Amino acid sequence: MKKFDVKSLVAGVIIGTLGITTVFAATGIKSVILSNTKVTLNGDSLPLSKSLISVTMDNEQNAILYVPANELLEKLGYTVNYNDVKNTVDLIPGNNSSHEVNGDIISEGNVVMNLTNNTNQMNIAESGSFQAESNQTLTLNVTSDIKGGSVDLFLFDPNGKEQRITIGSANITKEIALKKGVWQYNCSGVFKDGGNVKIVGIIK
């Protein structure tokens, strides 16, 4: 499986802004073709309106894939600002955009939590935090088919009050009213008989 690096992402932004001809009008390029390679996020299809680009250099056998990073990063919740004067790409978290999984909009809002176990890993251990405003709601979308154990998600409000959500082998959706301030979370669990778990938290 090929690994996308930062250089590929930045090049994708430049491609989306300036066009293929300008970026690849240089020596050392053997071929540039559109690729039908699909992008997935934690195993779920992430539809992109622009194709990936496969580039083969003169001195290399294998092609390198360049992704349309501006669109990809926007789907992941970032605002992408390209400054051609300073030659910089500025990524701003949380653009209040829709987030799509398998082509379906799961919610309008900011994704503040996106947790999953690694492939072939029968446990999960994640933690983090997010900022909330008054009268906002956290929607948790859980997809799980784990077996032989469970996963616990602990939420701590700005005052340190704990809320525990136990996840088994079922898909659930849960809404939690938020107080203004910094919320923290800790997610852990072991499922010895396999399966996968994914927890997406969205504020709106």
Side-chain angles (χ1 to χ4, degrees):
M1 180 176 171
K2 290 186 175 67
K3 182 178 180 182
F4 297 129
D5 58 19
V6 175
K7 290 182 180 178
S8 297
L9 292 174
V10 173
V13 175
I14 297 172
I15 291 168
T17 307
L18 302 180
I20 297 174
T21 305
T22 303
V23 174
F24 292 108
T27 59
I29 304 294
K30 183 186 297 182
S31 66
V32 179
I33 60 172
L34 296 178
S35 172
N36 61 0
T37 302
K38 305 300 180 185
V39 177
T40 61
L41 177 63
N42 294 324
D44 295 319
S45 176
L46 191 68
L48 299 174
S49 63
K50 300 180 181 67
S51 298
L52 276 65
I53 296 172
S54 178
V55 179
T56 304
M57 306 296 291
D58 283 339
N59 58 349
E60 294 181 355
Q61 295 291 326
N62 297 324
I64 300 172
L65 281 176
Y66 290 84
V67 302
N70 48 345
E71 183 182 7
L72 177 62
L73 290 168
E74 284 167 3
K75 283 185 177 291
L76 296 177
Y78 290 87
T79 296
V80 181
N81 294 327
Y82 175 64
N83 188 321
D84 58 350
V85 176
K86 295 182 178 179
N87 195 30
T88 59
V89 177
D90 187 24
L91 305 180
I92 304 172
N95 64 355
N96 294 311
S97 63
S98 303
H99 298 270
E100 297 184 45
V101 176
N102 288 326
D104 299 322
I105 295 176
I106 55 177
S107 183
E108 291 282 344
N110 289 330
V111 174
V112 295
M113 188 186 305
N114 193 348
L115 314 177
T116 186
N117 61 296
N118 293 327
T119 305
N120 300 322
Q121 190 174 37
M122 292 177 287
N123 63 75
I124 186 171
E126 300 284 348
S127 62
S129 62
F130 59 87
Q131 176 73 40
E133 300 298 329
S134 300
N135 301 319
Q136 287 188 317
T137 300
L138 174 67
T139 301
L140 293 173
N141 294 291
V142 179
T143 304
S144 175
D145 61 0
I146 60 174
K147 300 175 181 66
S150 62
V151 170
D152 289 317
L153 175 64
F154 296 92
L155 282 175
F156 301 92
D157 72 13
N159 298 321
K161 185 178 179 180
E162 174 191 302
Q163 183 172 168
R164 177 178 178 177
I165 301 165
T166 299
I167 299 166
S169 181
N171 298 340
I172 61 172
T173 299
K174 187 176 180 64
E175 291 191 346
I176 298 166
L178 299 176
K179 298 178 181 178
K180 182 175 182 178
V182 176
W183 288 67
Q184 297 184 3
Y185 60 84
N186 184 291
C187 179
S188 61
V190 177
F191 28 100
K192 62 182 180 180
D193 295 329
N196 293 285
V197 61
K198 181 177 180 180
I199 306 167
V200 179
I202 301 166
I203 284 184
K204 57 181 179 178

